[in-house]
Amino acid sequence: MTHVYFVRHAQPLHAWEDDRTRPLTDEGREDAKSVLQHLTDKSIDICYCSPYLRSVETIAETAGFFGLDIIKDERLRERQKGNEGNNHGMFRLRWADHDFHEPGGESIRMVQSRNIEALMEILNRHPESNILIGTHGTALSSIINHFRHDFGCEDFLRIIDWMPYIVRLDFEGSQLAAIEEIHHVYKEFTGNKRADKK
């Protein structure tokens, strides 16, 4: 059995314009300490991460505790945003049609394809291991949807305010055997997701 601990990043500084270099807030850095508290006894063997700073910062202390380098994989990054922003209407359009994307943005299927490609390689490379992967909300949701097709927009919206969020996916080879939610901290997503609810 291979255990993959996915960690969705802690609260980022939403006012920071550049998605790739957006850091955690001070609160986010404090909340990130809870990741180590919940993984201390998990004997993590290897650590992969999105190259985005907020994900790296969220798992850095945990990786250091286990004496592991963080292997960054570009395919694990978050969905490329387009010109339409994030709100409930756009979220529902994307999840209703996995091929839909706004100009300049990625569809759910695009995000899912590259994330699953990376995950399959990681599973093949490290069988029977405890693996830590630093990730994002849409990226993680697209991964879960690949294995459980009934995971959709409502499930995505359920976890959107959980930062950080830890969920373990257990695999027999490349087949998902079980999912267990381990920990989350509620931090309201302060992007414009509720713009259509004013």
Side-chain angles (χ1 to χ4, degrees):
M1 185 79 72
T2 302
H3 304 290
V4 183
Y5 296 88
F6 285 96
V7 179
R8 192 259 181 113
H9 61 77
Q11 183 185 56
L13 187 61
H14 290 289
W16 193 278
E17 289 295 326
D18 183 58
D19 204 26
R20 182 174 292 267
T21 61
R22 183 173 300 131
L24 298 180
T25 63
D26 290 341
E27 280 186 58
R29 291 188 186 92
E30 285 299 310
D31 292 337
K33 294 177 180 178
S34 67
V35 174
L36 176 57
Q37 293 169 6
H38 284 82
L39 297 182
T40 299
D41 62 343
K42 304 306 181 188
S43 301
I44 302 297
D45 299 302
I46 194 78
C47 180
Y48 287 85
C49 193
S50 158
Y52 285 19
L53 180 59
R54 58 190 179 276
S55 291
V56 175
E57 288 185 335
T58 300
I59 65 168
E61 186 175 359
T62 303
F65 176 84
F66 290 105
L68 300 173
D69 292 329
I70 297 175
I71 303 168
K72 299 173 187 174
D73 190 318
E74 187 69 27
R75 294 170 296 179
L76 297 173
R77 71 189 186 276
E78 182 57 303
R79 191 188 73 85
Q80 176 65 45
K81 295 178 182 176
N83 303 325
E84 300 298 324
N86 284 326
N87 56 63
H88 274 79
M90 291 301 296
F91 291 145
R92 294 187 188 284
L93 282 172
R94 294 179 196 127
W95 281 98
D97 178 359
H98 287 191
D99 291 312
F100 169 81
H101 61 90
E102 69 277 32
E106 285 184 295
S107 68
I108 297 294
R109 197 176 311 282
M110 291 172 179
V111 177
Q112 184 180 72
S113 178
R114 57 177 167 76
N115 273 271
I116 290 298
E117 179 183 68
L119 176 60
M120 291 298 105
E121 289 182 14
I122 291 168
L123 291 173
N124 288 332
R125 199 175 294 139
H126 308 286
E128 308 298 317
S129 300
N130 293 323
I131 302 167
L132 173 63
I133 297 181
T135 187
H136 304 264
T138 302
L140 175 57
S141 295
S142 76
I143 290 169
I144 296 174
N145 170 265
H146 174 82
F147 298 102
R148 293 196 171 170
H149 299 313
D150 60 343
F151 185 101
C153 188
E154 295 307 318
D155 301 286
F156 166 74
L157 292 174
R158 181 178 69 92
I159 69 171
I160 197 169
D161 293 316
W162 293 359
M163 297 178 277
Y165 168 49
I166 307 173
V167 59
R168 190 188 74 229
L169 274 62
D170 299 333
F171 291 90
E172 293 282 4
S174 61
Q175 299 300 309
L176 180 68
I179 297 180
E180 182 180 354
E181 293 181 333
I182 294 175
H183 169 67
H184 74 268
V185 175
Y186 180 88
K187 282 288 189 296
E188 185 175 356
F189 178 80
T190 56
N192 59 341
K193 75 181 178 80
R194 291 183 171 86
D196 59 341
K197 293 210 168 186
K198 289 181 178 177

